[in-house]
C-alpha cells in the first residue's frame, strides 16, 4: 500500500497510522478510564463524582476528535482550555452544559451520562479500531501487537515514528 491508499475497510492507511491511531490510543487511555469511573460512580450512587467523570469523558472525547483531525505535538493546556471554553464542537458544548459537580444530583448525573453516551458513540464510529486495554490494580496494559503493527506500517511508508500520547487529561 502507498500513502493515501484505502484498505478493504475503507480506511486511509496514512490517516490510520498517524492521526487515527493517536486518537484510538488516547481513547483507550482517557475516555475508557472516564467511562469506567462514570459507571462505578453511578453504581455507587455518587452523583457528584459521576458528573465529574462525565466532564472528564467529554474533555477526552474532544481531545480524541482533535487528534483524529491532525493535532500533533504536545498538548498545550491553556490552548485546550480555550478550546473547551469556546468551541462549537458538540462535545465542548455538552461539557459547558454540565452543571457543577458539587451541585449535582441523580437527574444531572443521568443527563450527563446520556450526553456522554451520545458523544462517545459518535467518536467510536470515527475511530479506525478499538485498542484493547486491560486495567489492573497496578495500571494499564495495552495490546502491544497493535502498536508494533502501526509502527511497522509507518516505517514502510517513510512516515516518522509515532509519538504515542501517554498523557491523560
Amino acid at each position: 500500500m502507498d500513502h493515501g491508499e484505502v484498505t478493504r475497510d475503507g480506511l486511509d492507511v496514512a490517516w490510520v497510522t498517524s492521526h487515527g491511531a493517536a486518537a484510538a490510543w488516547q481513547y483507550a487511555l482517557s475516555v475508557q478510564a472516564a467511562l469506567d469511573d462514570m459507571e462505578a460512580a453511578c453504581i455507587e450512587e455518587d452523583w457528584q463524582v459521576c458528573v465529574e467523570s462525565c466532564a472528564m469523558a467529554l474533555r477526552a472525547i474532544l481531545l480524541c476528535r482533535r487528534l483524529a483531525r491532525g493535532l500533533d505535538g504536545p498538548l498545550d493546556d491553556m490552548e485546550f482550555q480555550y478550546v473547551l471554553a469556546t468551541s462549537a464542537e458538540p462535545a465542548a458544548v455538552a461539557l459547558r452544559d454540565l452543571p457543577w459537580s458539587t451541585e449535582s444530583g441523580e437527574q444531572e448525573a443521568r443527563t450527563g451520562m446520556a450526553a456522554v453516551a451520545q458523544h462517545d458513540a459518535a467518536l467510536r464510529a470515527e475511530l479506525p479500531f478499538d485498542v484493547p486495554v486491560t486495567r489492573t490494580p497496578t495500571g494499564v496494559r495495552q495490546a502491544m501487537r497493535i502498536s508494533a503493527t502501526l509502527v511497522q506500517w509507518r516505517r514502510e511508508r517513510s512516515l516518522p515514528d509515532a509519538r504515542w500520547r501517554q498523557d491523560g487529561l
Side-chain angles (χ1 to χ4, degrees):
M1 290 185 196
D2 296 346
H3 292 290
E5 188 167 334
V6 177
T7 67
R8 286 173 287 188
D9 299 331
L11 296 173
D12 178 301
V13 174
W15 176 81
V16 169
T17 58
S18 58
H19 309 311
W25 281 114
Q26 190 66 45
Y27 182 89
L29 294 171
S30 299
V31 179
Q32 284 182 0
L35 295 176
D36 289 348
D37 290 347
M38 183 182 74
E39 291 170 13
C42 181
I43 290 168
E44 292 296 317
E45 297 182 358
D46 189 339
W47 307 121
Q48 293 177 351
V49 170
C50 186
V51 170
E52 188 60 32
S53 297
C54 290
M56 289 302 299
L58 290 167
R59 285 185 200 101
I61 287 167
L62 183 60
L63 175 58
C64 288
R65 286 232 158 115
R66 294 190 75 213
L67 289 167
R69 291 183 185 131
L71 175 69
D72 193 21
L75 176 64
D76 181 291
D77 188 54
M78 290 300 291
E79 175 190 1
F80 191 58
Q81 294 302 322
Y82 176 78
V83 169
L84 292 172
T86 63
S87 175
E89 178 81 31
V93 173
L95 174 64
R96 293 192 301 269
D97 286 345
L98 284 177
W100 288 101
S101 59
T102 56
E103 300 169 1
S104 299
E106 181 177 1
Q107 181 59 46
E108 292 82 4
R110 295 208 182 273
T111 300
M113 289 174 62
V116 169
Q118 174 188 357
H119 295 288
D120 178 57
L123 173 61
R124 287 182 62 119
E126 295 175 17
L127 295 176
F129 52 81
D130 288 328
V131 176
V133 175
T134 303
R135 286 185 171 68
T136 68
T138 58
V140 176
R141 184 180 58 204
Q142 290 86 12
M144 298 310 294
R145 187 168 143 242
I146 293 173
S147 177
T149 301
L150 290 168
V151 168
Q152 179 182 347
W153 283 354
R154 289 178 66 86
R155 287 184 179 156
E156 288 171 358
R157 287 155 186 81
S158 301
L159 294 168
D161 284 336
R163 290 179 279 157
W164 302 114
R165 299 185 70 88
Q166 296 298 318
D167 57 336
L169 293 173

